[in-house]
Amino acid sequence: MPNDNPPSHSQARHARLRAPQVAIVGATGAVGIELIACLEQRGFPLAGLRLFASPRSAGKTLAFRGQDLPVEVMEAASLDGIDIALFSAGSGASKHFAPAAAANGTIVVDNSSAFRMDPDVPLVVPEVNAAAIALHRGIIANPNCVAIIAAVPLAPLHAANPIRRIIASTYQAASGAGAAAMAELRDATAAHLAGVKFENKVLAHPYAFNLFSHDTDIDPVTGENGEEIKVGRELRKIMGVPDLRVGVTCVRVPVLRAHTIAMTIEFDQPIGVDAARELLAAAPGIRIVDDRARNHFPMPREATGQGDVLVGRLREDASDPSGRSLSMLVAGDQLLKGAALNAVQIAERVMQG
Ligand SMILES: NC(=O)c1ccc[n+]([C@@H]2O[C@H](COP(=O)([O-])OP(=O)(O)OC[C@H]3O[C@@H](n4cnc5c(N)ncnc54)[C@H](OP(=O)(O)O)[C@@H]3O)[C@@H](O)[C@H]2O)c1
């Protein structure tokens, strides 16, 4: 007998999600450009793509699958009829547009920090906690770029031997502060080499041949900066370890793209370097770069353009004779795995239902 029952709301949504209408909000930005590239390179099976940015970008076009798509100015009704919206336009735009879009049936994957710590919003690195996606109520948050790049190698180690404490130092690229910061690093370096005076406008300190503590506000009580606070609390949420002890020092270095992180990790039980390397080599999203003879370890230049997080410089922490602590260096392209690629991976999982 034919089934005359109309499809339920969730059946209709599942059908639409097989070939969704997709939007990118913040399409002209450093992350937005990579979102477009990821959708294209991964053959994302979408029915249509619309691009949004601020009024500054009105009239621009961006290429996707051989077509020049117009960049539209983001407005309240822009996401009507959109199934999946990838937001990378800053916290303000996310807070302004995402809740209404989600209430209207659009599934939002948000790159900003606006909703990351909301208990109703999953904070997802697919290699680590993909199951959390199913709990979404319209918004799924993409974590901070350092948190993502750290979580990918921490998770398989933690699954084998619970992590008690992490001490990390970051070497963060200009790209983490957006397209304008990348331009400032290029311009400041050219001016420095030419002996020309340069006035920095995007970041607070001279960037060429310099480094400085991360450009987020300092908490007057704890002395931590905003980035350090995000990394600790987001790692605890992603890894599902509320009492994980995390101490981070975040530093901006004059690298154009890809973040590097030095981590010392204390485990519950002794952990050998070889066992850790085997666990990491078998885990998704990781490439081991650990050649002691050639002194070849993870570098931002080699991480740039890569979806995998590079992991190496694995060694026992010399300051902990118990054998329970391990040090390592990781590098990841934070515009890709730290932002755009992770968001597209989340969207792919959303489509799988
Ligand atoms: N860069 C990273 O590595 C990284 C990593 C993880 C997360 N994120 C987050 O991703 C977001 C974007 O970062 P980004 O580095 O790509 O910044 P960006 O290069 O400065 O780009 C910002 C984008 O947002 C658009 N925009 C700004 N205000 C808007 C509004 N009211 N409505 C619509 N579009 C608006 C801009 O459009 P116009 O070009 O028209 O100004 C531009 O497309 C931020 O929330 C950031 O925290 C960045």
Side-chain angles (χ1 to χ4, degrees):
M1 249 181 52
N3 180 358
D4 291 335
N5 293 334
S8 69
H9 180 70
S10 77
Q11 282 171 325
R13 177 182 250 199
H14 267 103
R16 275 208 324 275
L17 284 177
R18 272 189 232 120
Q21 294 289 342
V22 176
I24 297 175
V25 183
T28 52
V31 176
I33 296 289
E34 297 300 334
L35 283 167
I36 299 171
C38 282
L39 293 176
E40 178 149 352
Q41 283 157 14
R42 295 172 72 84
F44 194 98
L46 46 77
L49 177 63
R50 289 177 65 194
L51 307 177
F52 296 97
S54 82
R56 290 180 290 275
S57 299
K60 282 190 186 169
T61 59
L62 291 168
F64 179 68
R65 294 184 182 161
Q67 276 190 300
D68 284 334
L69 299 185
V71 178
E72 304 173 59
V73 175
M74 184 68 189
E75 286 164 3
S78 294
L79 299 181
D80 287 359
I82 296 292
D83 300 305
I84 299 178
L86 307 170
F87 270 69
S88 70
S91 288
S94 291
K95 284 181 189 153
H96 192 67
F97 295 112
N104 201 24
T106 301
I107 297 174
V108 171
V109 182
D110 183 33
N111 268 291
S112 83
S113 58
F115 308 107
R116 288 179 189 154
M117 296 313 294
D118 183 328
D120 288 336
V121 174
L123 183 65
V124 177
V125 179
E127 292 86 344
V128 180
N129 63 338
I133 293 172
L135 306 175
H136 80 82
R137 298 182 183 181
I139 300 177
I140 302 159
N142 214 39
N144 165 280
C145 45
V146 173
I148 295 176
I149 291 165
V152 170
L154 289 172
L157 298 174
H158 177 71
N161 188 343
I163 293 173
R164 299 292 176 226
R165 182 181 183 210
I166 300 162
I167 300 169
S169 297
T170 71
Y171 309 78
Q172 295 185 227
S175 51
M182 294 171 82
E184 181 152 296
L185 176 57
R186 282 197 188 92
D187 295 346
T189 305
H192 187 92
L193 291 172
V196 176
K197 193 170 179 316
F198 182 86
E199 203 181 314
N200 43 295
K201 295 192 180 71
V202 181
L203 294 164
H205 302 290
Y207 205 177
F209 302 97
N210 192 23
L211 57 81
F212 43 88
S213 183
H214 194 274
D215 37 282
T216 37
D217 292 342
I218 303 279
D219 181 315
V221 177
T222 65
E224 286 181 291
N225 65 40
E227 184 84 345
E228 291 158 0
I229 294 167
K230 282 182 202 169
V231 173
R233 69 187 182 193
E234 291 185 26
L235 275 177
R236 285 188 276 273
K237 180 168 176 179
I238 298 161
M239 295 174 67
V241 188
D243 59 352
L244 184 66
R245 289 178 288 148
V246 184
V248 196
T249 303
C250 289
V251 174
R252 188 76 74 188
V253 296
V255 165
L256 202 55
R257 178 165 169 165
H259 291 348
T260 304
I261 314 168
M263 286 193 272
T264 295
I265 308 150
E266 185 186 317
F267 295 87
D268 190 48
Q269 299 296 321
I271 180 161
V273 170
D274 291 342
R277 192 185 289 104
E278 269 176 41
L279 288 166
L280 291 163
I286 289 173
R287 180 151 66 84
I288 301 290
V289 181
D290 201 28
D291 187 340
R292 292 179 176 183
R294 291 193 171 82
N295 208 343
H296 184 186
F297 301 110
M299 286 182 266
R301 283 282 286 263
E302 290 185 359
T304 293
Q306 305 293 314
D308 285 343
V309 174
L310 311 185
V311 182
R313 203 70 230 285
L314 288 159
R315 62 207 188 279
E316 264 188 32
D317 171 24
S319 72
D320 180 1
S322 75
R324 290 185 298 120
S325 299
L326 196 76
S327 293
M328 65 185 184
L329 195 62
V330 309
D333 188 330
Q334 95 302 329
L335 288 177
L336 290 177
K337 186 56 193 167
L341 173 62
N342 198 71
V344 170
Q345 288 172 322
I346 292 172
E348 288 168 349
R349 301 270 184 151
V350 165
M351 289 170 61
Q352 289 158 12

